[in-house]
Amino acid sequence: MEETIKPSQQNDQTDVRRESISQLVKGRGKEDPQKSGIKKPDNQNRFRLNLWYFVGFFLLISMVNTFLGEKPQTIEFSEFKQKVISGEIKRVELGDKYYVGSSLVQADQQGNQQLGNSTQVYRTIPVNDSGFIGLLDANRVEYYTRPVSFGEMFGNVFLTWILPFGLMMGLWWFLSFRLKGGAGGVMSFGKNKAKLVSEGDTGVTFKDVAGADEAKEELVEVVDFLKNSTKFDEIGGKIPKGVLLIGTPGTGKTMLAKAVAGEVGVPFFKMSGADFVELFVGVGAARVRDLFQEARKNAPCIIFIDELDAIGKSRGASINGNDEREQTLNQLLVEMDGFDSKGGVIILAATNRPEILDPALLRPGRFDRQILVDRPDLKGRKAILEIHSKNVQVDEKVELGKIAAATVGFSGADLANLVNEAAILAVRNNRKKVMQADFSEAIEKLVAGLEKKSRVMNEKEKEIVAYHETGHALMAAFTPDADPVQKISIVPRGLAALGYTMQMPSEDRYLINEEELLGRVDVLLGGRAAEQIIFGRVSNGASNDLSRATDIVRKMISEYGMSDKFKNVYLGSNQTSYLGGMQTSERKEYSESTQNYIDEEIAKTINNRYERTLDLLKKKLDLLHKIAKRLLEIEVMDAEIFNSFLGTEHQAA
Ligand code: ADP
Ligand code: ZN
């Protein structure tokens, strides 16, 4: 349960305090305890009530004024003067804003003269006329200046002083309550957003999360720690404090965090980064403080911050820094540093843009553990489909494996949506159970929508990517000294890459010779070369490869002195240099003709290497086909399977 101080409780407490204080005060003498200002909430209420009395009083007065007062006829000043001269106006009240003239004079008992009801009253806006008083005298018209009535005076004071002051006070109260995070009740702005889901509520365990095996493996450790924190303590192992889950939306990051809480059986606090970002400076920081306070009270527990990037954006990134966000981020850093995970609070956070996070967040003692939550591969997708199709009536003949094969690039959430969509279609088709056809229809529907917003590939694209990645992998395998292939994947990763080939550096390298650099270029060109050989044309999917290859060659020529003409000459770069995202200067350290030479040399080298790469891959065409076909089936290929294809041939090479 969320712990908030209820107003009644608070009053009880203050009552007790007031009693003891009033006793104290009584003992000392005549001071009124009410005036000592101890009972703050009450005072505030009274003051606010008084304010409302004032407002009501003022409204009443102005209403009475308008109802009882004469409804004067407004006329032009010249006409007013005429009526004075003609004798119709007998009496004139010289006001600030108006002159009010009446035709008849009445006196009441008090001797106060008043403009009677039966009189005709004229009103005019005065013109600066110095002869007017003389005119009144000449016509024996009574004239006077009325003292400002209480209502008017009060109205003026109210409008010019009390109202603005009151508004300002009101605003100040409002803000101060928001900043403090509230004294309970309606005012606890800072608190009410941190949703505390108790252990029974998350009800999610690792069994409910399919696919993300690597992520689960790492999180099991966190679970272990929370379950046996004393054991960890005794052994003195390093205890994780913050774990960052990285992955595109819908890949199950929230689910994983909930599963950790569910596995251990501890409370789970969830808040989204966006919830911290508020209009008012300081509110976000107050919320962070509240969240951690609450968590400490409920330890052991899990804090989960979704969309960490919303508050964790790099502080230096923008020149016109956002104070509010910065304060919030600082508060988060302070809170994370300020507690010891031995207390049993572990912070999980999720983001799909780790690159924009403030580096301070990733430092040891903060989110020093990062777990990639990838889109699921074939096996994972099948498992996810199995989990979600448990909730609907699925025909026994439905082959989830086939559906999984047709949904490359779908995230867990997409797959959950797919099952749901298929069920809807089944109902629409008057079926009792969901059939394969419903799934196919749903896939078509979803793919059309998803292709626009994320990377969902059609069959042809998948094939191209498979050959492309195999090209990289084969070049890595057959280039002497190249890092061995660790993993090939055609499951889209992030938004940028359609597939990837991971090479494992066999050792840390600081010095790389010319041959090795060119070998790297070959591996990079392998993707496009494979496309060229198999499909007879190339796609735009290789532009990142090309830019990296070109970069290597450019550096070889201009920085490493590895060209024929400028052997052992450092040319430097004439690239525009960037500092912290700001363009600072443009250097040019060599002549136009040298630049031309470099450009030509780059083109020549890349061409040479590309020809070599084509030759080599053509010789391995058989392998290229075999591996790419297999990759299409299994989507992710580890080193073991890859090497089994190479077999003895590799040893010979
Ligand atoms: P994220 O936090 O990464 O954006 P969520 O955890 O909110 O993703 O996932 C949204 C929904 O997608 C979940 O409620 C679940 O139904 C489904 N889902 C996502 N990934 C998986 C998975 N690996 N296994 C089962 N269901 C998943
Ligand atoms: Zn590539």
Side-chain angles (χ1 to χ4, degrees):
M1 264 299 294
E2 188 174 339
E3 212 253 11
T4 47
I5 306 164
K6 291 189 198 76
S8 62
Q9 269 177 329
Q10 202 181 27
N11 278 346
D12 287 351
Q13 283 168 1
T14 30
D15 271 346
V16 171
R17 252 196 300 162
R18 187 174 53 153
E19 253 170 49
S20 56
I21 283 162
S22 67
Q23 275 166 8
L24 271 178
V25 176
K26 263 179 212 151
R28 257 198 294 152
K30 30 190 165 299
E31 252 180 293
D32 182 3
Q34 291 284 359
K35 276 191 186 159
S36 59
I38 302 297
K39 207 182 171 206
K40 212 180 152 206
D42 236 359
N43 266 357
Q44 277 172 356
N45 275 342
R46 186 159 307 137
F47 191 71
R48 210 170 304 165
L49 269 178
N50 287 349
L51 199 69
W52 283 116
Y53 282 142
F54 276 131
V55 173
F57 187 53
F58 170 68
L59 286 178
L60 204 71
I61 286 178
S62 40
M63 254 152 67
V64 167
N65 265 358
T66 31
F67 279 119
L68 293 188
E70 202 49 48
K71 288 257 149 54
Q73 185 189 349
T74 306
I75 55 177
E76 284 170 14
F77 188 68
S78 56
E79 201 184 335
F80 195 86
K81 247 164 113 176
Q82 275 307 316
K83 289 197 191 295
V84 169
I85 292 163
S86 71
E88 192 184 337
I89 291 177
K90 291 270 189 293
R91 187 178 156 81
V92 173
E93 180 189 306
L94 302 168
D96 259 359
K97 288 180 194 148
Y98 302 109
Y99 290 170
V100 181
S102 54
S103 53
L104 226 154
V105 182
Q106 282 182 340
D108 63 14
Q109 291 96 320
Q110 275 90 36
N112 278 339
Q113 296 197 303
Q114 237 185 357
L115 303 172
N117 272 347
S118 57
T119 55
Q120 182 62 48
V121 180
Y122 300 102
R123 189 168 74 168
T124 189
I125 298 165
V127 168
N128 195 1
D129 180 354
S130 53
F132 187 63
I133 301 293
L135 188 77
L136 294 178
D137 282 336
N139 290 285
R140 297 182 180 213
V141 173
E142 285 182 46
Y143 57 92
Y144 67 99
T145 311
R146 191 168 58 108
V148 186
S149 80
F150 177 70
E152 261 172 26
M153 189 171 71
F154 182 75
N156 279 340
V157 172
F158 184 83
L159 281 177
T160 50
W161 295 101
I162 300 178
L163 189 66
F165 183 70
L167 282 174
M168 269 166 67
M169 289 291 282
L171 195 68
W172 182 76
W173 277 331
F174 179 70
L175 288 182
S176 66
F177 273 124
R178 293 203 67 156
L179 297 196
K180 265 186 285 175
V186 195
M187 285 112 183
S188 63
F189 283 96
K191 265 185 186 146
N192 54 18
K193 275 206 182 177
K195 204 165 46 193
L196 174 56
V197 185
S198 69
E199 85 191 60
D201 289 346
T202 81
V204 182
T205 61
F206 281 141
K207 261 191 255 122
D208 303 311
V209 190
D213 291 333
E214 285 162 42
K216 270 196 269 185
E217 251 165 56
E218 298 218 31
L219 286 171
V220 163
E221 212 175 304
V222 175
V223 171
D224 268 357
F225 158 68
L226 277 170
K227 273 187 175 160
N228 318 298
S229 54
T230 44
K231 201 174 80 191
F232 269 79
D233 228 15
E234 281 159 15
I235 299 170
K238 199 174 161 276
I239 294 155
K241 211 183 228 185
V243 179
L244 185 62
L245 302 169
I246 300 170
T248 42
T251 45
K253 297 183 292 297
T254 310
M255 262 194 122
L256 281 167
K258 278 189 183 163
V260 171
E263 288 282 337
V264 193
V266 295
F268 175 79
F269 290 88
K270 183 192 167 194
M271 224 163 150
S272 171
D275 291 343
F276 292 110
V277 182
E278 277 285 336
L279 190 60
F280 299 112
V281 174
V283 177
R287 279 192 188 145
V288 172
R289 218 159 29 232
D290 284 341
L291 178 65
F292 278 83
Q293 210 174 359
E294 204 77 3
R296 263 186 225 113
K297 264 189 256 162
N298 289 281
C301 67
I302 302 277
I303 292 181
F304 178 62
I305 304 175
D306 206 357
E307 300 172 49
L308 182 67
D309 41 284
I311 40 169
K313 232 176 260 174
S314 175
R315 279 168 294 188
S318 61
I319 302 162
N320 50 340
N322 181 333
D323 264 357
E324 161 63 359
R325 209 186 45 224
E326 221 161 273
Q327 272 194 23
T328 311
L329 174 58
N330 284 339
Q331 188 64 37
L332 179 64
L333 295 176
V334 166
E335 294 288 350
M336 285 192 83
D337 292 344
F339 80 83
D340 188 349
S341 41
K342 279 178 192 150
V345 181
I346 288 199
I347 310 157
L348 303 180
T351 183
N352 63 337
R353 305 173 67 197
E355 70 282 353
I356 65 163
L357 289 182
D358 198 288
L361 273 171
L362 307 178
R363 263 180 221 141
R366 291 167 186 163
F367 292 105
D368 47 6
R369 214 173 270 211
Q370 287 135 38
I371 300 179
L372 199 69
V373 188
D374 248 340
R375 287 212 179 93
D377 60 6
L378 183 75
K379 223 173 88 221
R381 288 200 302 274
K382 184 154 177 265
I384 294 173
L385 283 169
E386 269 159 14
I387 286 179
H388 286 281
S389 54
K390 274 196 196 118
N391 307 327
V392 292
Q393 296 285 332
V394 179
D395 193 83
E396 308 89 66
K397 272 179 275 168
V398 169
E399 287 174 83
L400 291 179
K402 273 194 183 158
I403 300 166
T407 47
V408 197
F410 273 52
S411 68
D414 294 335
L415 291 169
N417 191 16
L418 172 70
V419 173
N420 193 41
E421 201 66 42
I424 291 171
L425 287 170
V427 171
R428 202 175 288 162
N429 294 333
N430 283 326
R431 281 199 257 268
K432 290 241 155 47
K433 287 183 168 175
V434 187
M435 311 284 280
Q436 192 86 22
D438 300 318
F439 275 108
S440 307
E441 204 182 329
I443 291 172
E444 272 171 38
K445 209 170 138 189
L446 289 181
V447 165
L450 287 170
E451 255 170 4
K452 280 177 225 143
K453 69 174 160 80
S454 62
R455 299 287 183 182
V456 174
M457 289 186 281
N458 61 33
E459 285 304 311
K460 188 71 198 169
E461 282 174 324
K462 234 172 107 176
E463 204 185 343
I464 294 174
V465 174
Y467 275 101
H468 177 106
E469 298 305 333
T470 309
H472 284 310
L474 280 177
M475 286 313 292
F478 291 104
T479 301
D481 294 328
D483 295 327
V485 173
Q486 193 192 13
K487 193 172 169 187
I488 321 171
S489 164
I490 57 168
V491 179
R493 181 179 207 165
L495 282 172
L498 292 171
Y500 57 90
T501 301
M502 221 160 27
Q503 285 171 272
M504 176 72 120
S506 28
E507 56 204 292
D508 278 340
R509 299 291 302 274
Y510 298 105
L511 288 174
I512 306 156
N513 63 39
E514 193 172 346
E515 242 354 271
E516 285 167 323
L517 283 168
L518 290 173
R520 286 187 183 183
V521 173
D522 293 351
V523 174
L524 286 167
L525 293 174
R528 169 162 282 206
E531 285 183 45
Q532 169 86 52
I533 294 168
I534 305 296
F535 304 101
R537 59 192 158 161
V538 294
S539 72
N540 61 352
S543 83
N544 181 43
D545 297 339
L546 298 185
S547 106
R548 280 164 62 197
T550 312
D551 216 48
I552 293 175
V553 177
R554 173 177 293 118
K555 282 202 173 124
M556 289 176 72
I557 298 166
S558 59
E559 291 177 32
Y560 310 150
M562 290 177 180
S563 63
D564 289 339
K565 191 168 166 189
F566 292 104
K567 225 175 198 76
N568 307 327
V569 177
Y570 176 86
L571 295 168
S573 63
N574 77 336
Q575 303 276 298
T576 312
S577 63
Y578 288 89
L579 249 185
M582 256 165 36
Q583 188 174 330
T584 51
S585 69
E586 202 165 290
R587 291 180 300 161
K588 204 163 183 128
E589 294 181 355
Y590 42 76
S591 68
E592 201 84 358
S593 66
T594 307
Q595 174 71 58
N596 287 342
Y597 171 77
I598 293 173
D599 289 344
E600 270 163 32
E601 198 63 18
I602 290 173
K604 211 173 82 192
T605 311
I606 297 265
N607 256 334
N608 268 337
R609 301 315 295 193
Y610 190 62
E611 289 304 323
R612 278 178 57 116
T613 304
L614 280 174
D615 282 349
L616 202 149
L617 283 181
K618 275 178 193 155
K619 279 191 207 134
K620 309 286 176 195
L621 194 60
D622 195 33
L623 266 182
L624 183 61
H625 278 303
K626 271 193 205 153
I627 297 175
K629 292 233 163 75
R630 184 90 182 107
L631 185 57
L632 265 173
E633 283 164 24
I634 58 175
E635 293 175 10
V636 179
M637 189 183 278
D638 58 22
E640 208 178 312
I641 302 176
F642 179 70
N643 289 331
S644 74
F645 275 102
L646 303 180
T648 47
E649 204 177 335
H650 190 224
Q651 254 68 34

